[in-house]
Amino acid sequence: MITGINHLTLAVHDLNESTAFYRDMLGCKIHAAWDKGAYLSAGRLWLCLTLDPKTRTSPLPEYTHIAFNVRSEDFQTLSNKITDSGAHIWKNNTSEGNSLYFLDPNGHKLEIHTTTLEERIASCKQAPYSDMLFFDESHTSN
């Protein structure tokens, strides 16, 4: 049975630029670095950056993205820092809570977000998406 996400690996075309972005812009903690990679953490998330010549050169057209937690009281400061850096904003926020959708230097779609899953479900119960169903704890697979 899966108990969580162990780590997330992102392919990058420039390791120094990417490490600086995740460390200096987003505040990830760096733990190790070598000529082809770096280990960082974002809260409890283990993030690996790996140098890969096949790294994309533009964002994928799909909605897939990585959302990082940020405290409500820190959202505006971090949002301003990201926006002021010139990071490309790829989507405007239309959900409850504060969100900023932006690209990293490799075209990975990222988001900083302030609300939790529980808050999202509560909001959706007030205004459900089309054909939305809700499940309780008894709906798990064995």
Side-chain angles (χ1 to χ4, degrees):
M1 178 173 161
I2 293 176
T3 59
I5 294 176
N6 182 274
H7 68 278
L8 176 65
T9 299
L10 296 176
V12 302
H13 57 79
D14 184 319
L15 185 60
N16 291 331
E17 176 186 39
S18 297
T19 300
F21 179 84
Y22 283 92
R23 181 192 60 220
D24 302 337
M25 181 65 58
L26 300 185
C28 294
K29 181 179 178 184
I30 187 160
H31 297 275
W34 61 101
D35 63 338
K36 295 195 180 348
Y39 291 144
L40 301 99
S41 59
R44 297 182 52 88
L45 173 68
W46 167 14
L47 176 64
C48 175
L49 303 178
T50 187
L51 193 57
D52 185 342
K54 297 177 192 166
T55 300
R56 69 188 73 178
T57 57
S58 61
L60 298 176
E62 65 193 40
Y63 185 67
T64 300
H65 65 282
I66 302 164
F68 293 100
N69 292 328
V70 64
R71 296 181 319 176
S72 293
E73 58 269 22
D74 297 331
F75 179 82
Q76 197 57 56
T77 299
L78 183 54
S79 179
N80 290 345
K81 184 177 180 181
I82 292 166
T83 303
D84 292 347
S85 78
H88 178 78
I89 306 304
W90 62 272
K91 179 184 183 306
N92 291 322
N93 183 30
T94 57
S95 64
E96 92 296 334
N98 292 316
S99 284
L100 179 69
Y101 300 85
F102 58 100
L103 299 180
D104 81 352
N106 305 283
H108 296 108
K109 291 180 177 178
L110 305 177
E111 174 188 3
I112 55 171
H113 187 72
T114 60
T115 61
T116 65
L117 174 60
E118 293 78 17
E119 291 168 321
R120 172 65 54 90
I121 295 298
S123 175
C124 287
K125 285 182 176 179
Q126 297 296 312
Y129 306 148
S130 176
D131 294 326
M132 190 171 205
L133 302 173
F134 297 95
F135 302 94
D136 61 26
E137 293 296 318
S138 66
H139 285 85
T140 59
S141 61
N142 293 332

